[in-house]
Amino acid sequence: MSKINVLDEHLTNMIAAGEVVERPMGVVKELVENSIDAQATKIEVRLTNGGLDCLQVTDDGIGMDRQDATKAFNRHATSKISEVNDLWRIKTMGFRGEALPSIASVSKTTLTTCDGNDSTQVRIEYGKLVEAKPMAFAQGTSVKVEGLFYKTPARLKHLKSANTETNMVFDLIQKMALGHPEIAFELYCDDRLKIQTNGSGSLQEVIMNIYGLETAKKCIPVSFGDFDFQVDGYIVSPSINRSTRQYINCYVNGRVIRSLALQKAIIDGYHGFMMPDKFPICVLNISIDNQLVDVNVHPSKWEIRISKERQLYSLLTENIAKAIRQSLTPSDMIVEHIKEEKKEPERVILNEEKVSYQQQEIADFIIEPTHTERFSYLTQLHGRYILACDEENLYIVDQHAAQERCMYEEIQNDILNKSIDMQPLLVPLIIDVTPATINRLEEINEQLACINVEMEPFSASSVIIREVPVFFEQIDETEFMQDLIDEIINDKKMSTLEIRKEKIASLACHSSVKFNKYLSADESKKLLSRLSNCNQPFNCPHGRPTMISISEKQLEKEFKRV
Ligand code: ADP
Ligand code: MG
């Protein structure tokens, strides 16, 4: 006997609901996307008890006529596509025609709509049409969803507390509002207004409404692209950051998406400007020819597939890093200055170049600024900081972080340019290692060749090194070598040589021992001069700032002169 049943429409809707609308946030997402597709300029979202009791989305969009108001609840009923080819050029948020029937199959749904002529209300309870009647309503559509999942206990059990569900909707509406500054959004939770944007079209204003004034002030506008992609929006200066990825807002053709890969590309753009456990804030819309995007890979459309992904990642990473570098005021001017310096055939030792600055008297100190490439050295502070200035700013340089940055770039340059100066050791370096290391000595030596280090077996559990790079003088060589051997042995990912070189530089500055010592004035000046030659002088390799600056304007403000 035949065992296969063709499922009825109600059952298929309920199954679809499992994918499309997992929780109140999913329902709100589908309804808001419908409002966006209906060209709404204002969207209001109301939640009661996290949406578990009631949620309602109201818009001022094009609305529906009497017929469509009921037709919209049929499975696969959509006004957005009509033939196969449409699937490859989707410009709307929705297209599957699944949301309304799915939502209505697991809740009491009331839709009220007006297209300028007809005004209609349709009520559906757990998949059954209860009522469809004329009902006075302003232009637009309102969908009210009550008793969500009451008849699907498995799903109900899966829901979190009202508070958690509210927070998810809260995050979603923030993202939606950031993605659509041209739409005025309002979110009310238990009748309290939680989010409000004005729909003026200014993204910076929305950023201010959502993330606050300080963040909005630190926004860096970006606009870049290539033949296939155009990226527009704001990235927030790395000085303001967060401990989760939540604030990395990515849109593709106006659609909110979740993409670990795009997030990573953005985080990589911030690399070196931020501590590794911190994440940036940004709002970026990526415009792509609709034919290069497949939005039909995920029922709730959080994920999409993009052709030429690699190209997009490097576009993002490179341009974000560039925008940050250019925005680090007052570095624009300074970086330019360095570039000019580098054109000179011979390096000028500027430490010795005393520039006739006005002498400044502080207590009984006389501080005579001495010019280095960028900074005029003033004095040392607490044995840990160097005070320096240029024409616009006072700089407080963290000696330790600055040394780390210099070491890192210098070692990296040496490794990359294969110009590692070596020095033979009178007393060779003996390093304790595991027998397993001795076993793999040849392979490890291959990896160490980029810093010209060669280890020979010395005993069953130690190796000997007779010649080392000059930069070893500045580091704890034993700690460095042990870390490096561990790193090579435990590298399951089989890093490429390029990555290895970066790691070596990073490990070297980690094991620097000579950092905490007091620097003489001359040593401080030398450090400032080395820092001036760094490509990225503002952060140590671990992301900590190397210096803070106080501008003349800030001083005037502090002293109440403006
Ligand atoms: P989809 O959005 O994938 O087309 P839905 O089930 O979400 O499917 O909606 C079905 C149809 O109902 C839409 O194609 C649209 O024509 C209509 N519709 C839904 N919501 C609205 C709205 N807020 N304003 C106007 N029309 C709407
Ligand atoms: Mg839809």
Side-chain angles (χ1 to χ4, degrees), residues 380-386 397-411 471-476 479-480 504-520 523-524 527 530-531 539-542 544 546:
Q380 265 226 334
L381 189 68
H382 308 319
R384 279 159 57 188
Y385 305 101
I386 302 168
V397 178
D398 178 326
Q399 186 182 302
H400 185 141
Q403 280 174 306
E404 281 202 321
R405 164 53 63 182
C406 296
M407 277 270 294
Y408 176 74
E409 288 202 15
E410 287 159 7
I411 295 173
F471 75 75
F472 270 39
E473 268 177 16
Q474 300 182 63
I475 63 175
D476 179 332
E479 181 191 296
F480 170 69
I504 291 175
S506 163
L507 277 179
C509 64
H510 243 314
S511 39
S512 298
V513 271
K514 312 223 162 79
F515 281 151
N516 286 326
K517 80 167 213 209
Y518 186 88
L519 294 188
S520 68
E523 284 170 321
S524 298
L527 179 60
R530 284 165 70 198
L531 195 61
N539 296 83
C540 80
H542 315 106
R544 264 182 237 111
T546 52

Side-chain angles (χ1 to χ4, degrees), residues 146-343:
E146 293 163 290
L148 184 66
F149 301 134
Y150 278 15
K151 291 206 173 169
T152 17
R155 179 67 55 188
L156 197 60
K157 243 197 277 174
H158 176 73
L159 295 180
K160 301 264 172 24
S161 69
N163 213 358
T164 312
E165 297 297 336
T166 302
N167 286 338
M168 287 187 202
V169 176
F170 195 85
D171 285 345
L172 173 82
I173 300 301
Q174 286 193 343
K175 283 199 184 300
M176 290 285 197
L178 287 165
H180 294 275
E182 75 289 358
I183 300 177
F185 279 88
E186 281 181 4
L187 169 69
Y188 292 84
C189 301
D190 297 316
D191 290 327
R192 261 187 243 132
L193 182 62
K194 295 286 187 180
I195 296 176
Q196 185 173 35
T197 64
N198 63 14
S200 72
S202 156
L203 175 55
Q204 205 167 3
E205 249 177 79
V206 183
I207 294 177
M208 187 184 77
N209 283 330
I210 292 193
Y211 294 142
L213 183 62
E214 282 314 302
T215 305
K217 273 204 228 157
K218 292 278 184 181
C219 275
I220 308 165
V222 288
S223 178
F224 51 85
D226 59 14
F227 187 74
D228 298 298
F229 305 104
Q230 173 61 35
V231 182
D232 296 282
Y234 287 95
I235 58 173
V236 174
S237 163
S239 57
I240 298 193
N241 47 61
R242 296 286 187 269
S243 44
T244 78
R245 287 160 207 263
Q246 272 283 5
Y247 299 79
I248 304 175
N249 298 285
C250 258
Y251 306 82
V252 168
N253 296 341
R255 184 188 300 280
V256 190
I257 53 144
R258 286 186 191 140
S259 161
L260 284 180
L262 289 186
Q263 278 182 352
K264 179 157 188 330
I266 293 168
I267 294 168
D268 285 351
Y270 276 82
H271 179 74
F273 297 100
M274 208 178 254
M275 301 289 284
D277 55 346
K278 294 289 178 196
F279 297 99
I281 307 175
C282 67
V283 185
L284 293 176
N285 183 46
I286 303 161
S287 309
I288 316 178
D289 184 330
N290 284 305
Q291 302 203 17
L292 288 180
V293 191
D294 187 355
V295 285
N296 192 21
V297 291
H298 192 269
S300 49
K301 298 158 289 172
W302 277 110
E303 283 156 32
I304 56 171
R305 198 172 292 139
I306 303 172
S307 310
K308 306 191 186 179
E309 261 186 343
R310 281 190 162 272
Q311 177 187 326
L312 174 58
Y313 302 154
S314 30
L315 183 77
L316 279 168
T317 308
E318 282 161 24
N319 283 283
I320 288 173
K322 190 165 137 203
I324 298 171
R325 224 176 289 129
Q326 287 173 347
S327 75
L328 289 172
T329 49
S331 55
D332 294 3
M333 183 189 81
I334 292 167
V335 171
E336 286 313 313
H337 181 56
I338 273 196
K339 281 187 195 138
E340 279 168 27
E341 289 268 341
K342 284 199 169 155
K343 278 187 225 140

Side-chain angles (χ1 to χ4, degrees), residues 66-133:
R66 202 178 339 161
Q67 260 187 328
D68 279 353
T70 40
K71 218 177 182 182
F73 287 96
N74 290 335
R75 191 152 158 78
H76 301 311
T78 178
S79 55
K80 299 168 194 174
I81 56 173
S82 57
E83 54 148 332
V84 173
N85 282 338
D86 293 342
L87 209 49
W88 319 127
R89 45 174 186 242
I90 287 169
K91 292 199 186 72
T92 48
M93 300 289 140
F95 58 90
R96 298 168 67 106
E98 278 183 320
L100 287 185
S102 302
I103 296 166
S105 72
V106 289
S107 70
K108 294 183 193 170
T109 302
T110 309
L111 174 136
T112 316
T113 187
C114 169
D115 68 347
N117 293 315
D118 291 354
S119 266
T120 318
Q121 186 169 77
V122 178
R123 282 204 302 124
I124 300 195
E125 290 188 4
Y126 302 103
K128 286 216 171 64
L129 178 67
V130 177
E131 193 175 28
K133 60 179 182 191

Side-chain angles (χ1 to χ4, degrees), residues 17-79:
E19 293 179 317
V20 183
V21 287
E22 266 189 312
R23 53 185 352 119
M25 185 270 286
V27 178
V28 173
K29 178 171 184 284
E30 290 295 336
L31 297 179
V32 170
E33 286 187 344
N34 279 347
S35 299
I36 296 173
D37 285 344
Q39 294 145 41
T41 63
K42 186 168 188 273
I43 301 176
E44 181 197 278
V45 181
R46 285 182 176 269
L47 291 187
T48 312
N49 193 27
L52 302 174
D53 290 353
C54 177
L55 64 86
Q56 184 164 17
V57 175
T58 306
D59 67 55
D60 63 352
I62 55 172
M64 284 174 265
D65 68 14
R66 202 178 339 161
Q67 260 187 328
D68 279 353
T70 40
K71 218 177 182 182
F73 287 96
N74 290 335
R75 191 152 158 78
H76 301 311
T78 178
S79 55

